[in-house]
Amino acid sequence: MLLLLATVLAAGTLTGCALRELTRDCGGTGGRVKEMAALGILGSRPAGATVARGFEEVDAGCWADSGDVSVYAGRTYAFPGTEAQVAAHYRTAAVRDGWDPEPEAPSDDLCFVKDDMTLRIVFLTAEGLAEDGHGNRPDLTTGAGYSVNADSFMNSGVEAGC
């Protein structure tokens, strides 16, 4: 028993993890996940954008890694127009919804902050979709397929930002 305890403590020290961090997980985040999934900005989209096939539901949940616990929610859209049209829409819609452009982000980055949340608009590529197991998706790589993603760290002291 003493050897097992020593091994756990050594592993925690070597990996930079404390025992407290080893036990952190997503327990108790269900309410916050629901709040994130209901964010109005996730349903905002430029005229002509449609919810992408296979992404009909808001993707929302929690992940815990290295002691950080984060809740997230996102939507994926197919848009026949340009990335510039998508960017113009979200620069207006996000600000109208109380999101501020992240001052540290590059000027062409679509990243906003509100309270303890970060909002990112990410344009999809065929390579990225393949890596995520979504295969060949011309509906998301012709025009400007994109995702709208919000996340928030819980009880970790990590500030919202890009």
Side-chain angles (χ1 to χ4, degrees):
M1 182 67 160
L2 187 56
L3 180 59
L4 177 61
L5 182 58
T7 303
V8 168
L9 288 174
T13 302
L14 292 174
T15 63
C17 297
L19 286 178
R20 176 179 54 82
E21 292 173 348
L22 293 173
T23 62
R24 290 181 76 175
D25 62 17
C26 289
T29 61
R32 183 69 172 146
V33 169
K34 287 180 183 176
E35 287 175 21
M36 297 288 289
L39 289 172
I41 194 68
L42 298 179
S44 177
R45 59 186 181 210
T50 59
V51 173
R53 180 180 33 86
F55 295 92
E56 290 82 4
E57 302 297 322
V58 171
D59 177 25
C62 174
W63 60 262
D65 183 34
S66 301
D68 292 325
V69 177
S70 176
V71 294
Y72 65 88
R75 296 293 314 243
T76 300
Y77 294 101
F79 182 62
T82 66
E83 290 182 8
Q85 291 171 306
V86 171
H89 171 80
Y90 284 101
R91 284 191 177 107
T92 300
V95 170
R96 189 177 329 127
D97 195 41
W99 296 85
D100 296 315
E102 167 59 64
E104 304 288 324
S107 61
D108 62 338
D109 199 7
L110 292 172
C111 185
F112 305 87
V113 293
K114 179 180 181 180
D115 302 324
D116 64 346
M117 300 176 290
T118 302
L119 176 72
R120 290 180 185 87
I121 304 349
V122 179
F123 294 102
L124 305 175
T125 65
E127 296 81 18
L129 288 165
E131 286 174 14
D132 291 340
H134 296 292
N136 183 15
R137 294 292 302 266
D139 59 322
L140 294 176
T141 55
T142 305
Y146 67 96
S147 64
V148 181
N149 305 295
D151 61 66
S152 177
F153 284 94
M154 308 263 312
N155 304 323
S156 67
V158 176
E159 290 187 29
C162 303

